Each structure stands twice: as C-alpha cells, then as structure tokens.
Amino acid sequence: PLPIFINTPLQELPKNDERIVYIYYLTNLKASQEFDNQLNALFKELLPSDHIYKADKNANGILLVAKSQDIRSVMEIVEAMDQTGFQERLEMIRL
C-alpha cells in the first residue's frame, strides 16, 4: 500500500522519490477527464509516464499517484492556477 495524502500542504509531503497517492480538491478550477483540459495537459507534460491521474467532477478533485518530488513540483503550478485573481491560461511552448 502507498501512503495517502489528502489536501496536505505541499511542504508536508515527503521530500524523496517515494511513490505516494495525493488527493487534491480544487477551489476555482474545474476537474475534468477531457483530454484538452489544462490540468490534463500539464500532468501529461510534466509527470513521468508511470504516473496515474484521475479527475472526479462530482468532488471537483484530482487523484495523483507518482513520486512525491514529482507531485510536489507539478502541484505548485496547479495551486498557483487554482488561486483567485486575474484570469490566466496555461500555454506550453516546446523548446
């Protein structure tokens, strides 16, 4: 079994390569399994291929299974996108 973290602050996640389950409830973004969703694109580009990502529209939450360091990195971006303020849009530019 993998350790489970539910809406845990990122600073409290393990700082290693241990695989964990992380559940995060969105406050301003909408969870969706649609392929063109901004979150799906972000997870696909930034997480390794062995990650697991599921979105639940009813709970407006996401479930991630990956290495703790990878989750910490990508969730910093998600938390910034989930804040209220100016309308921002994520755009990925391949270098």
Side-chain angles (χ1 to χ4, degrees), residues 1-18:
L2 299 174
I4 299 174
F5 298 88
I6 301 173
N7 252 17
T8 304
L10 296 178
Q11 300 82 358
E12 295 178 20
L13 294 179
K15 295 180 181 179
N16 56 32
D17 284 339
E18 176 184 12

Side-chain angles (χ1 to χ4, degrees), residues 35 46 52 79:
F35 185 72
L46 297 180
I52 298 172
E79 283 185 351

Side-chain angles (χ1 to χ4, degrees), residues 30-89:
K30 298 292 181 204
S32 173
Q33 283 287 13
E34 297 173 14
F35 185 72
D36 61 348
N37 182 304
Q38 285 185 355
L39 292 178
N40 289 342
L42 178 72
F43 294 138
K44 182 182 177 200
E45 292 291 326
L46 297 180
L47 288 175
S49 61
D50 65 342
H51 79 280
I52 298 172
Y53 162 71
K54 298 289 181 193
D56 183 1
K57 290 192 293 190
N58 296 330
N60 200 35
I62 54 176
L63 177 134
L64 288 170
V65 178
K67 292 179 182 176
S68 180
Q69 289 284 44
D70 295 336
I71 290 175
R72 287 172 62 110
S73 299
V74 76
M75 287 307 297
E76 287 178 7
I77 298 169
V78 172
E79 283 185 351
M81 291 172 57
D82 198 30
Q83 300 298 317
T84 57
F86 293 106
Q87 179 86 16
E88 294 183 15
R89 183 177 168 182

